[in-house]
Amino acid sequence: MADVDALLGTIEAIDGRVIAGWACMRRPDGSERPAILEVRADDVLVFRFVAGAVREDVRARGACGILRTGFRLDHGFPVGTKIALHSAETGAPLGTARYVAPSRPPRIGLIAPARDEAPYLLEWLAYHRTRGIARFFIADNGGADATSDLLRRLDRAGIVTRYDYLGRSYFQTAFYAETVARPEVRETCDLLAALDCDEFLVPTNGRPIPETLGELCADGAVSALALNWANYGSAGRAEHDSGRLVIEQYDRRAVELNPLNNHIKSVFRPERFRGFGVNVHAIDMDYGLYRAASGAAAEWDVAYAARGITRVPDWTNLRVNHYSTKSRSAFVRRKLQGPAADRATSEALRQHADYFALHDTNDVQDPVDPAVIAETRAEIARIEALIAEA
């Protein structure tokens, strides 16, 4: 098969009024030329044009060697319309299809259980607050540390809504169902993400999380999103450094196709939630579509479970960074704070060791942006000031 010219570029904006970005074609010999593009709305061809506007910034950063690569189409599309750009010559797609989002980004809430999370909880809250998420509904399951006291102060300061689940075991599915049904949750959130406190929603497309979620859920037929794990290990650390953030010191993860990353966590419309019938990763819903982070249909690996594990990871727009092990000492300390009956059995200790070995994946160095780390630190300081006054 003869070599064909490759399509380069990116879609930088899609909303109800404009489609904009840049593109060019690169020949097999490395030279470049203008691209002829097609716009398809809900798979129907609506425009064909040449990307010919001057984009000095694209050439200056070495993305494309020619000057005329930009495009901007001023045309309105209804919310939820799927927009795809392709080369009119080769049919190659320019990135993934996008959906026209509402002008107002969705209000997002996180629901999570918390037990023995005092050393890490402020970081988890601060990180997500800096990423555009403001509502947190937390099950206080106590533990051996100061988690309950911290959650009470956070609740008084208006940073979280705390629900008392002290002394309860195997409560997670009940907590989710009870919380999603609460009026204060449904009335203040358009979308909910069910996470644990060692899981961080991370945009992989450089855009704000609410904007991306608004776009992925712009189609009213979408009821839930399946966001895959990126499993992070101990980075070879035996001891946890309490002076550094989790997202700062654990900077090595599994390769993308590691089966651990096939696990997902869900973002969903609360009014369509019917429970977690299979596991706490994937919801049951009254109706609608379950989509992956790319906007394509979620493809479940039914050999393992009806839902909750995908055939391959999809990190196209968003993923869930999962820091389940942290350092070896932090992992052991946390497990030794579990129920006494669990701590006492050699079988339980063996299972903990097996879990650590399985999840201590450090194949790829993939650090969080230093700017995000700095913003998280600053937000932690703001939260500490707020709860000191509460």
Side-chain angles (χ1 to χ4, degrees):
M1 178 178 173
D3 290 336
V4 298
D5 294 2
L7 177 63
L8 309 178
T10 186
I11 304 169
E12 296 170 333
I14 287 183
D15 58 31
R17 300 173 303 280
V18 65
I19 303 171
W22 68 271
C24 70
M25 301 296 290
R26 178 168 292 165
R27 300 183 180 95
D29 64 6
S31 62
E32 290 151 342
R33 62 181 177 84
I36 304 172
L37 299 177
E38 294 179 345
V39 178
R40 301 174 191 173
D42 289 334
D43 300 319
V44 176
L45 176 63
V46 291
F47 293 115
R48 182 176 285 130
F49 64 94
V50 177
V54 172
R55 286 291 300 267
E56 293 182 357
D57 61 314
V58 171
R59 190 170 67 173
R61 65 175 181 263
C64 186
I66 60 176
L67 187 60
R68 293 188 175 275
T69 59
F71 61 86
R72 176 187 173 94
L73 301 177
D74 294 295
H75 184 85
F77 291 96
V79 169
T81 303
K82 181 174 75 171
I83 303 294
L85 275 74
H86 295 259
S87 166
E89 301 164 273
T90 68
L94 184 64
T96 58
R98 301 264 296 269
Y99 292 83
V100 178
S103 57
R104 178 184 68 81
R107 301 167 299 170
I108 303 163
L110 300 191
I111 54 176
R115 178 182 177 85
D116 290 319
E117 295 289 353
Y120 315 114
L121 185 57
L122 291 189
E123 175 185 346
W124 184 81
L125 292 167
Y127 167 83
H128 286 104
R129 280 164 63 96
T130 65
R131 301 303 98 195
I133 299 171
R135 296 166 181 85
F136 303 88
F137 306 95
I138 310 296
D140 180 2
N141 194 231
D145 64 10
T147 294
S148 288
D149 177 66
L150 179 57
L151 281 170
R152 288 188 179 96
R153 288 187 290 139
L154 288 163
D155 185 274
R156 288 196 297 270
I159 296 167
V160 309
T161 301
R162 171 190 173 272
Y163 300 113
D164 191 331
Y165 282 78
L166 297 173
R168 294 179 61 173
S169 300
Y170 308 107
F171 65 94
Q172 195 166 355
T173 55
F175 158 64
Y176 286 147
E178 292 160 6
T179 302
V180 173
R182 295 178 186 273
E184 67 267 27
V185 176
R186 295 199 174 205
E187 292 170 5
T188 62
C189 298
D190 303 306
L191 296 172
L192 291 174
L195 300 179
D196 291 321
C197 293
D198 59 4
E199 295 172 325
F200 291 68
L201 276 179
V202 175
T204 58
N205 59 8
R207 297 162 56 209
I209 290 174
E211 177 184 308
T212 297
L213 288 177
E215 182 179 305
L216 290 171
C217 295
D219 182 350
V222 176
S223 292
L225 300 173
L227 304 183
N228 285 97
W229 276 354
N231 192 80
Y232 277 72
S234 68
R237 295 181 177 276
E239 300 293 331
H240 177 73
D241 183 350
S242 60
R244 301 178 69 200
L245 302 183
V246 168
I247 60 174
E248 179 181 15
Q249 60 186 298
Y250 305 110
D251 61 353
R252 301 191 69 89
R253 60 163 173 82
V255 295
E256 185 170 351
L257 293 180
N258 186 305
L260 286 173
N261 296 331
N262 295 346
H263 291 77
I264 63 102
K265 285 300 181 80
S266 295
V267 176
F268 56 90
R269 300 185 195 272
E271 69 274 14
R272 300 183 191 174
F273 174 85
R274 193 157 46 86
F276 284 92
V278 178
N279 51 52
V280 296
H281 293 256
I283 72 165
D284 293 340
M285 51 199 184
D286 287 330
Y287 63 93
L289 304 175
Y290 227 122
R291 283 195 173 148
S294 63
E299 295 188 24
W300 306 116
D301 190 342
V302 295
Y304 289 93
R307 290 182 303 281
I309 299 177
T310 57
R311 293 176 58 198
V312 294
D314 184 339
W315 291 350
T316 305
N317 290 298
L318 291 162
R319 72 187 192 197
V320 177
N321 282 9
H322 186 215
Y323 300 92
S324 61
T325 60
K326 304 179 180 71
S327 70
R328 182 174 291 277
S329 66
F331 179 83
V332 170
R333 188 180 309 112
R334 182 179 175 84
K335 294 306 178 184
L336 291 178
Q337 289 175 340
D342 185 44
R343 297 199 308 266
T345 67
S346 59
E347 175 62 17
L349 293 175
R350 184 193 65 76
Q351 290 176 358
H352 295 333
D354 290 348
Y355 182 97
F356 185 90
L358 177 65
H359 290 77
D360 186 23
T361 54
N362 302 287
D363 309 295
V364 179
Q365 187 166 32
D366 188 3
V368 171
D369 186 339
V372 173
I373 292 171
E375 291 167 6
T376 301
R377 285 189 177 279
E379 185 62 23
I380 290 172
R382 281 190 284 271
I383 294 173
E384 289 175 334
L386 288 171
I387 63 177
E389 300 171 357

